[in-house]
Amino acid sequence: MLVEKLKSYMGPPMSEAKAQTIGTRDGKGIIFIAYNGDVYPSGFLPVKAGNVRFSSLKKVYIESNLFKDLRMGNFKGRCGICEFKDICGGSRARAYSVYGDPLAEDPACPYVPGSYSKLGLEIGDLI
């Protein structure tokens, strides 16, 4: 319903999407630089990874342990064993706000890792 309403206001899309967003999440394709030069994985995750006044943005992004862990999907708990961690990654900000660890599992995720594969075995085919 919302899609139809938007199309009625704006018209249909003029072309196909040109940017891939799958796998884009805090620290993986997204970066936030504060007014004072502090670098964060996103505007919602208040864990500083460096500062562009003292290091280049490229160096912070490539060498920071936080950014490395986020890009590699080195998550803990359910997110760490989830077969969709590279696509989804969960909310790193939510994990940090609840557990104090940006790599912890997303506490609001209802998915049970492995259940998609189990469903595929039950119905005999993965869609």
Side-chain angles (χ1 to χ4, degrees):
M1 183 147 135
L2 178 60
V3 172
E4 288 81 24
K5 196 170 192 176
L6 286 172
K7 283 182 183 177
S8 74
Y9 290 136
M10 302 178 70
M14 301 297 278
S15 66
E16 292 294 316
K18 293 183 171 96
Q20 177 184 358
T21 58
I22 294 175
T24 303
R25 62 171 180 264
D26 299 359
K28 186 176 181 182
I30 294 187
I31 220 169
F32 177 79
I33 304 172
Y35 72 95
N36 62 355
D38 288 344
V39 179
Y40 300 91
S42 82
F44 300 106
L45 182 57
V47 180
K48 181 177 152 183
N51 187 294
V52 294
R53 292 181 179 178
F54 307 109
S55 275
S56 73
L57 179 58
K58 179 180 177 181
K59 184 174 181 171
V60 172
Y61 185 74
I62 291 173
E63 296 180 10
S64 161
N65 288 332
L66 177 59
F67 278 105
K68 285 180 187 178
D69 285 337
L70 291 169
R71 284 193 305 274
M72 294 298 296
N74 292 335
F75 307 129
K76 300 170 185 168
R78 291 178 299 131
C79 289
I81 60 170
C82 183
E83 65 270 33
F84 299 111
K85 73 179 181 177
D86 290 324
I87 297 170
C88 169
S91 171
R92 303 296 93 222
R94 238 185 336 252
Y96 180 74
S97 71
V98 171
Y99 301 113
D101 182 353
L103 301 174
E105 68 181 46
D106 181 346
C109 180
Y111 183 69
V112 176
S115 53
Y116 180 75
S117 298
K118 288 177 189 172
L119 176 64
L121 291 173
E122 288 175 17
I123 62 173
D125 190 61
L126 288 178
I127 298 171

